[in-house]
Amino acid sequence: MSRRWIQNPNRCADEYLDGIEDFIEFARRHNPGATRIRCPCMRCNNTLFETIENVGFHLVRNGMIETYSIWNLHGEQVDHASSSNAPRVDNVEPIVDPNDQVMGII
């Protein structure tokens, strides 16, 4: 899947909106059961956790970090030993929201 859409300055373009849908689908698939994921918008910069729905809104409003083409914080891994530069995706543990853990303890 091409990630060229990330650099598209027109956030209303079909290419950009389809790219957001692909990213959200990828994040859901690689973080099953997660209610919040890191938000890769330019404002949150992968440091804040948001609901998946809010991540989609943020990506339209703020744009995605233009250098975030390997989604390693959302489950994607690159096999550096391979002679190919193609990313390899493995199953990963879902990202757990610390707030959910605290609520479970309470």
Side-chain angles (χ1 to χ4, degrees):
M1 129 179 57
S2 171
R3 304 222 172 128
R4 196 178 44 169
W5 63 271
I6 296 171
Q7 280 85 34
N8 188 337
N10 181 358
R11 296 185 202 136
C12 295
D14 288 340
E15 175 193 38
Y16 190 84
L17 297 174
D18 290 345
I20 289 174
E21 285 183 31
D22 289 344
F23 171 77
I24 296 295
E25 181 182 318
F26 179 91
R28 279 194 172 120
R29 196 170 53 247
H30 291 89
N31 298 281
T35 58
R36 294 175 173 265
I37 60 171
R38 290 179 185 270
C39 182
C41 81
M42 287 194 265
R43 184 171 162 255
C44 295
N45 201 33
N46 271 325
T47 59
L48 301 177
F49 285 82
E50 292 287 342
T51 64
I52 292 174
E53 182 179 76
N54 280 347
V55 168
F57 293 140
H58 281 209
L59 292 175
V60 171
R61 184 178 61 211
N62 305 321
M64 187 169 210
I65 302 166
E66 291 188 8
T67 58
Y68 192 51
S69 59
I70 298 173
W71 299 336
N72 59 306
L73 297 176
H74 294 87
E76 184 172 22
Q77 295 182 355
V78 177
D79 183 4
H80 295 288
S82 170
S83 60
S84 167
N85 288 331
R88 187 188 88 226
V89 178
D90 294 331
N91 289 335
V92 295
E93 293 293 318
I95 297 171
V96 178
D97 182 11
N99 294 326
D100 290 342
Q101 289 178 324
V102 170
M103 291 306 292
I105 293 170
I106 294 174

